[in-house]
Amino acid sequence: MTEPAVHPRNRTWMAKLEFHLTRVESIVAIAGLVLLLGLTLAEIGARNFFHSSIPGADVLDRYLVLWVSFLGAVLAVRDRHIKIDAVAVWFPDAWRRRLERPIFLFSSVVCGILFWAAARFWREEWLYAPAAERWITMLAVIIPLSFFLLTAHFALRFLIGPRAPGRS
Amino acid sequence: MMLVTLMLLVTVAALGVPLFVVLGAGSLIAAHAAGLDPAVLIVEMMRLASSPNLMAIPLFTLAGVALSRGGAPQRLLGMFNAGFGWMPGGLAIVAIVSCAFFTAFSGASGVTILALGGLLYPILTGENYSKKFSLGLLTSSGSLGLLFPPSLAILLYGIVAGVSIEQLFVAGIVPGVVLLAMLAVYSAIVSRRIGVARRPFSLTALVTTTRQGVWDLLLPVGIVGGLLGGYVTATEAATCSAAYALLLETVIHRNLRSAAQLREIFLETVVLVGSLLIILGVALGLTNLLIDAQVPMKILALMERDVHSQLHFLLLLNIFLLAVGCLMDIFSAIVVVVPLILPLAQRFGVDPVHLGIVFLANLEIGYLTPPVGINLFLASQRFRAPVLSLFRASLPFLLIMLVWLALITYLPGLSLWWKKI
């Protein structure tokens, strides 16, 4: 059996960087979801069988949802985001591929500005957080981090270029 | 200036920019126009971390993905076929009930048509149902279970509107069953007219298929029972559902055995949830800015001039939401539109739970209407048929759904019966 041919665009350093980033992000996101399920189950068990609760689990659960969701949003960059492409769906495939680069650039710029706002907000929170609550602020780092990753992924997609013809 | 910005944003959205980016750009522009630091948007986004019900979304999604990858659609189909297949219009009823169940626990993301449509279409046409009827039935069945627990659309509405998810789950049951009954009656009439032969009932087949499918059936029954009885909260029900679905597929049915399959399920869940919740996060900032700018109040002031009764308001609401359903997908519509119409509905005395059911029913119909009715596109992809011919095939079903919409809008008791118990 012959190996499937690798498209030249997938051999560039940008494509490799995107691949490795996606791999790390998916590992962290999956681990977050497994932990969320395990923790919520343990809480139900502790509450019903031992009439007690796991300290800090409630806060950790809520932030785990943010980690899972925002990393999921990063992983959805390659054509899994919800769109209202009421006009674009009627375009021929070649036109839609031509639109991809400007869309990725626009998305990268918007996410970049949101990253800048999120990073400043998080820094302020970190500086003024009481020592006992620093761990919660640390968990909230996912917001600026995910906007940074979204900016990077959209920028990489912009540089790598449109998907191969016929791929959706 | 505001109008130009809005038109630009609508244009980029129509060209295919991800919705969360469009909302993010809109929020940044609105914050700039109000002279506010864009960090206010992040403050609102952080509110996601204080919503205890939010946890239910990834966990119910995990349950749905695990069941659909583990073969639940086939098991349910076999069981309902043995249970209802002998009735007049039996196979069409099987399609309706199976699709409704599958949509409810697969999160109403449109996968029903892809998962069940391909299985059901050859069976329906093989039993003499016309191509047009079969395509119309399967295209419209793709969103039927939207009002049944644990539908993600209900969860999201509850979170955005601040309404009890338990009450919404209960409120959706009767309207959902009424729609299934109306479609089943229509299918029985069509089947009698075209002379589809009835099949004999087989107890052996029912017992065999029930042994396989009963575990899947227990999930929605358990959720409703647990919530109605007050034994579990929505979040606990979601946790138990996810654990149950994984146990079912890995230990009982053993359809998911490799680590790679489990990894795929978790990854699919993460991406589905991510694409949904980032919209919610970004929209929280935008809707807060719109509320600060008193946009709902201004709309209310405009409406109060011409609208004087609850019935009149509900009629306008239906027309508006049907138009929204034609243009936006259900999750985006919930996140963007609900905060704007909720104060208006409360002003006209509409119960927020009833509003939720009416809202979701309108958008369920929107799945079938061009230009962005997702069911039309998925069915077009699945059955290799043009969107317009699918729309024509779905028209009788669409008309039935419009009658149903009128019923549940103007008879609030169908959604709120439990309040009188």
Side-chain angles (χ1 to χ4, degrees):
Chain A
M1 233 172 88
T2 53
E3 285 285 312
V6 180
H7 195 281
R9 89 185 72 224
N10 295 335
R11 292 199 203 107
T12 63
W13 67 268
M14 287 178 291
K16 283 178 187 161
L17 175 64
E18 189 191 41
F19 173 79
H20 290 299
L21 266 178
T22 305
R23 216 170 130 175
V24 174
E25 289 151 3
S26 54
I27 290 170
V28 178
I30 291 171
L33 186 55
V34 173
L35 188 59
L36 177 68
L37 178 63
L39 203 57
T40 46
L41 271 174
E43 276 177 277
I44 293 175
R47 206 166 31 244
N48 289 293
F49 299 114
F50 305 105
H51 302 289
S52 65
S53 60
I54 303 168
D58 183 42
V59 177
L60 189 55
D61 283 344
R62 292 180 197 187
Y63 279 93
L64 276 173
V65 174
L66 288 194
W67 276 78
V68 168
S69 311
F70 279 80
L71 285 175
V74 174
L75 292 166
V77 161
R78 286 188 79 167
D79 226 20
R80 290 294 301 272
H81 273 294
I82 295 174
K83 299 169 188 168
I84 313 177
D85 43 1
V87 175
V89 285
W90 301 97
F91 287 172
D93 192 50
W95 286 28
R96 273 189 277 159
R97 278 190 291 119
R98 248 175 245 154
L99 271 173
E100 282 187 7
R101 269 200 156 122
I103 286 173
F104 286 133
L105 180 63
F106 179 74
S107 306
S108 182
V109 171
V110 172
C111 290
I113 301 172
L114 287 169
F115 160 65
W116 170 73
R120 281 192 310 121
F121 172 77
W122 183 81
R123 193 173 163 271
E124 294 281 310
E125 289 281 295
W126 176 258
L127 289 176
Y128 296 107
E133 287 178 15
R134 280 256 163 114
W135 70 280
I136 301 177
T137 317
M138 200 62 232
L139 291 173
V141 78
I142 187 60
I143 306 272
L145 177 65
S146 59
F147 277 111
F148 170 75
L149 291 169
L150 281 165
T151 309
H153 276 282
F154 279 125
L156 282 170
R157 279 281 108 202
F158 165 72
L159 294 170
I160 293 168
R163 68 205 145 79
R167 278 190 62 193
S168 59
Chain B
M1 183 64 193
M2 204 61 191
L3 197 68
V4 175
T5 314
L6 193 67
M7 282 177 68
L8 270 175
L9 288 175
V10 170
T11 309
V12 293
L15 288 175
V17 172
L19 185 67
F20 89 90
V21 175
V22 178
L23 293 173
S27 312
L28 288 169
I29 294 167
H32 180 72
L36 296 168
D37 189 312
V40 293
L41 306 173
I42 311 300
V43 177
E44 290 302 314
M45 215 174 279
M46 289 302 295
R47 268 178 42 207
L48 285 177
S50 59
S51 166
N53 281 329
L54 200 68
M55 228 182 299
I57 290 189
L59 295 170
F60 272 134
T61 309
L62 177 61
V65 175
L67 287 173
S68 68
R69 292 283 178 99
Q74 288 84 347
R75 293 193 297 267
L76 284 173
L77 189 61
M79 188 173 59
F80 291 134
N81 203 6
F84 302 118
W86 56 274
M87 292 175 164
L91 197 59
I93 296 170
V94 169
I96 291 167
V97 179
S98 311
C99 288
F101 262 87
F102 186 68
T103 304
F105 61 65
S106 67
S109 53
V111 292
T112 303
I113 293 173
L114 300 179
L116 280 174
L119 288 173
L120 284 162
Y121 183 65
I123 308 177
L124 280 165
T125 46
E127 288 224 1
N128 238 2
Y129 286 98
S130 68
K131 259 175 114 173
K132 191 179 165 194
F133 174 83
S134 309
L135 287 175
L137 175 75
L138 295 175
T139 308
S140 25
S141 297
S143 54
L144 279 187
L146 206 74
L147 295 180
F148 292 130
S151 149
L152 278 190
I154 289 193
L155 277 171
L156 194 62
Y157 175 86
I159 289 166
V160 174
V163 177
S164 153
I165 287 165
E166 289 85 348
Q167 290 185 355
L168 283 166
F169 275 158
V170 177
I173 294 171
V174 173
V177 171
V178 169
L179 178 60
L180 296 195
M182 287 169 76
L183 292 174
V185 169
Y186 171 70
S187 302
I189 294 169
V190 170
S191 117
R192 180 161 288 194
R193 204 172 54 208
I194 54 179
V196 175
R198 282 171 64 179
R199 282 179 300 151
F201 174 73
S202 159
L203 187 64
T204 322
L206 183 63
V207 171
T208 316
T209 53
T210 304
R211 266 196 204 140
Q212 288 288 308
V214 71
W215 301 103
D216 303 298
L217 201 62
L218 279 178
L219 185 67
V221 172
I223 293 168
V224 175
L227 293 174
L228 268 178
Y231 304 114
V232 286
T233 62
T235 314
E236 287 170 343
T239 306
C240 296
S241 299
Y244 177 79
L246 287 171
L247 192 77
L248 194 63
E249 299 301 349
T250 51
V251 178
I252 297 178
H253 293 304
R254 297 186 179 193
N255 290 332
L256 305 174
R257 278 182 289 187
S258 71
Q261 280 175 312
L262 285 172
R263 185 186 167 276
E264 277 293 307
I265 285 167
F266 277 83
L267 191 60
E268 176 67 15
T269 306
V270 162
V271 173
L272 276 174
V273 171
S275 61
L276 183 61
L277 291 190
I278 192 149
I279 298 178
L280 180 62
V282 177
L284 281 174
L286 181 63
T287 48
N288 196 50
L289 287 171
L290 293 177
I291 289 165
D292 277 354
Q294 304 232 309
V295 173
M297 295 305 117
K298 285 174 188 161
I299 302 172
L300 182 62
L302 273 175
M303 283 185 84
E304 275 179 332
R305 274 190 229 156
D306 302 310
V307 183
H308 302 292
S309 69
Q310 195 193 68
L311 273 184
H312 194 177
F313 169 76
L314 285 171
L315 180 70
L316 284 179
L317 183 73
N318 276 339
I319 296 169
F320 170 69
L321 289 178
L322 284 172
V324 169
C326 294
L327 295 167
M328 286 175 99
D329 92 292
I330 193 157
F331 298 116
S332 336
I334 292 170
V335 170
V336 178
V337 182
V338 169
L340 298 178
I341 62 160
L342 201 61
L344 311 183
Q346 278 167 345
R347 168 68 185 79
F348 287 99
V350 181
D351 188 290
V353 174
H354 181 219
L355 177 74
I357 302 303
V358 172
F359 190 96
L360 297 176
N362 274 288
L363 296 175
E364 184 170 335
I365 295 172
Y367 269 71
L368 284 177
T369 45
V372 291
I374 189 164
N375 280 5
L376 293 174
F377 290 109
L378 290 172
S380 163
Q381 198 182 35
R382 188 70 191 80
F383 305 120
R384 296 182 188 281
V387 168
L388 277 178
S389 74
L390 285 169
F391 178 61
R392 272 199 297 273
S394 312
L395 265 178
F397 299 92
L398 193 63
L399 290 175
I400 292 171
M401 289 170 98
L402 286 171
V403 173
W404 166 72
L405 176 66
L407 279 177
I408 59 167
T409 304
Y410 304 112
L411 298 174
L414 289 174
S415 315
L416 303 175
W417 54 271
W418 46 274
K419 280 198 165 180
K420 289 171 191 148
I421 294 175

